[in-house]
Amino acid sequence: MRQSRTRAALVVAAATTLSAAGVCAAQPAAADAGFHPAVRNLTLGPGYSWGVGDGAAGTPDGTVVYAFSKTPLTDASWSGGGMPAGLTASAGRYGCTVYAGAPGVFACPVTSDNPLDEPEVAAGVSAANGTTAYVGIAYAPHGSSVAAAVKAAQLAGTTSDPQNPTAAVIKVITPAQAARSSVTLSTPDVPLSSSLVQTVHVHAEDPGHLRVNFERTRDERPFDMDELDIEVQSVDGGPGSSCDHTLGSIGSGGDTVRCDLPAGDHTVTYTLASGPAVAAWKINAHADFEVVNHGTGNPGAESTFAVSSPYPVRDRYRLFARDAKGLLRYYDGTGRAAAPYGERWDLGDGWQQYTALSSLGPVTVHSTGDVVARDKSGVLWHFKGSANGSLFAPRAKVGGGWNTYNTLVGSADVSGDGRSDLVARDSAGVLWLYRGTGDGAALFAPRTRIGGGWNTYTALTAPGDLTGDGRADLLGRDASGVLWLYKGTGNAAAPYASRTKIGGGWNTYTALTGTGDLTSDGRADLVARDSAGVLWLYKGTGNAAAPYAPRTRIGGGWNAYNTLF
């Protein structure tokens, strides 16, 4: 496998004047005086390639010279010029050419319109471990001596400045060699309002770069940037000043702990400090030790720890919306009552083929929860939540004959067995229960009859656990606009208790949808769309006698959709 890189980006900044063998003696363009290209050390696995440039400071107008050698860049005779067996260097893609009379040397014209170019170095698929080359860099402003820049690059090993490296080493490291290094993690749980130390042990056969970052576990939703009040206070154990860390929450992304480690055995510790109100997250710590920059075999480790907290992590839920053209969109819940939904996302078109759509229970923002869809021929399809970055796995056929029903409602767990169920009303008004099996090959058990008379309702929706008793409930709106609550019993033989009246006036709405907890208070909520297209939020109270607080406005424009679920 080979990898390539795009041209290096320029960083426009002030810098000191490069002086190597009189390279910058002639500088007719004032902007050139502060232009400084750099190279970096590079390790490659067999079959991989990459550029050797490390960016630059200033505005270019001249020629950048790269000199490759089989020996360190200290030999004025250039007897080691060129690449060793197993490594090759090729001209860059934007104007570099081979410099005549000096093996292994490339001249690369650069301007502000054609920024820093670089040759690409490749390791052959059979390159031996430890194969080493050396590269130097120099710059000749427009009008100055390119030959002097060539000599400066060839001798860069004698003049390179760590703050502005003009000499670097390129080395081949095979997967077997990289795997000889190892990493282990020790990550005790984090208490509230306290600090503790976690530890990384590194055995480094070769020098490398240690990175530690933190992510959610797959069974929890992503955390917001501001809600994981845990920070790295300090890092210790790396030699000298080789370690640093990112300021701010460990949930902000990126590499939180970083160390450049020489060969040897190292124990690196970092101190985590937590705030007083962090939720009970489970967090994955990932440690990677990069021995080879571009290749395989780098060692890594993963360890999960928890926040010891009495505050639960409140999940968030998605609202799906299909328009008349069949485009399905979704809105992720934010957990904030004032703005319960965030940015809109397109899932895809083609959903007009379905005459009924329902989630089997609220779908979380990390794609747990399933959806069923009935097509025009009466076939029911199952879309399983994937929880792996995509929303759903490819659809699976449940079976035919489902066009006998005029309403399909995913009801979460009605029967008390921990599996999501489905209720279906036929044209005679009989309501049927399809118990979930947990088996994708046979998603539902044979139907059982709940009872008749359900055609009195113009809308049915499952709000989840509305009453706070741990059982899934059902709502029905009758033709006069009265909304009724059917409390779940947890008994599959009689899944609902006798109805209780919530209140009238609900016929103002063209859609009622149970959404899960939108406000992060642990109670199931409801959204309702009126005839003008305004969407309203009804916060759940957990009180069966008055299950909803007064409505609050979410926003308009929702009559663009013919289905909400």
Side-chain angles (χ1 to χ4, degrees):
M1 180 172 66
R2 301 183 70 82
Q3 295 187 354
S4 62
R5 128 183 204 156
T6 59
R7 75 173 74 181
L10 290 178
V11 178
V12 179
T16 58
T17 300
L18 175 63
S19 58
V23 176
C24 288
Q27 297 178 27
D32 287 341
F35 180 68
H36 298 283
V39 287
R40 68 183 180 284
N41 294 333
L42 181 66
T43 52
L44 294 172
Y48 283 77
S49 61
W50 207 254
V52 295
D54 195 29
T59 302
D61 182 17
T63 302
V64 174
V65 174
Y66 294 86
F68 295 92
S69 175
K70 297 182 283 293
T71 59
L73 303 171
T74 57
D75 180 10
S77 70
W78 199 235
S79 60
M83 298 292 275
L87 283 171
T88 59
S90 58
R93 292 176 291 171
Y94 305 103
C96 288
T97 58
V98 175
Y99 186 79
V105 176
F106 295 85
C108 304
V110 291
T111 66
S112 58
D113 294 327
N114 177 37
L116 189 62
D117 197 3
E118 58 184 342
E120 188 170 86
V121 175
V125 293
S126 58
N129 183 72
T131 301
T132 302
Y134 303 85
V135 59
I137 194 170
Y139 173 60
H142 180 73
S144 67
S145 172
V146 174
V150 170
K151 183 57 67 175
Q154 292 171 333
L155 294 173
T158 64
T159 60
S160 184
D161 178 358
Q163 300 303 316
N164 182 43
T166 55
V169 178
I170 304 163
K171 188 175 183 179
V172 174
I173 295 183
T174 61
Q177 175 66 18
R180 292 181 64 186
S181 298
S182 62
V183 181
T184 58
L185 272 167
S186 174
T187 58
D189 292 345
V190 176
L192 293 185
S193 300
S194 186
S195 62
L196 59 74
V197 172
Q198 296 187 341
T199 304
V200 190
H201 297 284
V202 179
H203 170 67
E205 284 285 326
D206 299 277
H209 183 69
L210 174 68
R211 302 191 305 267
V212 182
N213 58 66
F214 303 90
E215 297 177 342
R216 68 174 177 94
T217 59
R218 284 295 182 187
D219 57 348
E220 291 185 305
R221 66 170 172 82
F223 26 71
D224 295 338
M225 295 283 285
D226 59 352
E227 71 176 324
L228 193 61
D229 185 14
I230 302 174
E231 297 184 356
V232 178
Q233 283 188 326
S234 61
V235 183
D236 298 296
S241 58
S242 64
C243 294
D244 66 358
H245 63 280
T246 300
L247 299 177
S249 166
I250 65 173
S252 59
D255 301 329
T256 304
V257 175
R258 300 169 294 273
C259 299
D260 288 312
L261 301 178
D265 291 298
H266 308 278
T267 298
V268 175
T269 62
Y270 53 88
T271 302
L272 296 181
S274 66
V278 187
W281 292 97
K282 289 181 289 182
I283 301 169
N284 280 342
H286 299 267
D288 296 292
F289 187 57
E290 185 181 272
V291 178
V292 56
N293 303 136
H294 306 286
T296 59
N298 284 327
E302 180 176 309
S303 180
T304 300
F305 63 95
V307 180
S308 301
S309 170
Y311 309 114
V313 176
R314 301 294 187 190
D315 223 327
R316 294 174 184 169
Y317 299 93
R318 285 188 170 131
L319 178 66
F320 293 89
R322 182 187 65 181
D323 67 18
K325 295 181 179 179
L327 175 64
L328 189 63
R329 291 169 165 155
Y330 65 91
Y331 297 78
D332 279 348
T334 64
R336 300 186 298 272
Y341 291 115
E343 189 173 355
R344 182 184 73 186
W345 302 89
D346 290 349
L347 179 56
D349 54 18
W351 292 82
Q352 72 274 15
Q353 65 181 296
Y354 300 112
T355 59
L357 291 162
S358 179
S359 58
L360 293 181
V363 177
T364 68
V365 298
H366 53 103
S367 295
T368 60
D370 302 346
V371 166
V372 291
R374 181 188 62 197
D375 66 25
K376 295 175 182 178
S377 66
V379 174
L380 191 68
W381 299 90
H382 175 217
F383 293 84
K384 182 175 177 59
S386 67
N388 65 356
S390 59
L391 266 69
F392 299 114
R395 71 177 190 176
K397 185 178 180 180
V398 177
W402 289 82
N403 49 8
T404 190
Y405 300 114
N406 56 34
T407 300
L408 298 176
V409 179
S411 56
D413 178 23
V414 172
S415 57
D417 59 4
R419 302 184 181 108
S420 294
D421 305 316
L422 179 72
V423 295
R425 182 182 63 187
D426 64 24
S427 57
V430 176
L431 196 66
W432 300 88
L433 170 64
Y434 285 86
R435 292 182 59 182
T437 64
D439 179 3
L443 190 62
F444 299 114
R447 69 180 188 177
T448 58
R449 189 177 192 271
I450 294 175
W454 289 82
N455 52 7
T456 189
Y457 298 113
T458 59
L460 294 172
T461 191
D465 175 21
L466 189 56
T467 60
D469 60 3
R471 297 168 181 148
D473 305 315
L474 187 68
L475 295 175
R477 181 191 62 194
D478 65 24
S480 65
V482 174
L483 192 66
W484 300 88
L485 167 64
Y486 287 85
K487 288 184 61 176
T489 65
N491 177 8
Y496 299 115
S498 299
R499 71 180 188 177
T500 58
K501 184 178 181 181
I502 293 177
W506 290 81
N507 51 5
T508 190
Y509 298 116
T510 58
L512 300 172
T513 304
T515 58
D517 177 17
L518 288 182
T519 59
S520 295
D521 61 2
R523 300 178 179 126
D525 303 313
L526 182 77
V527 295
R529 181 189 62 194
D530 65 24
S531 57
V534 175
L535 196 67
W536 300 88
L537 167 65
Y538 284 87
K539 285 185 62 176
T541 65
N543 177 8
Y548 293 116
R551 71 179 189 177
T552 58
R553 191 179 192 270
I554 295 175
W558 290 82
N559 51 7
Y561 302 114
N562 58 28
T563 304
L564 300 175
F565 64 97

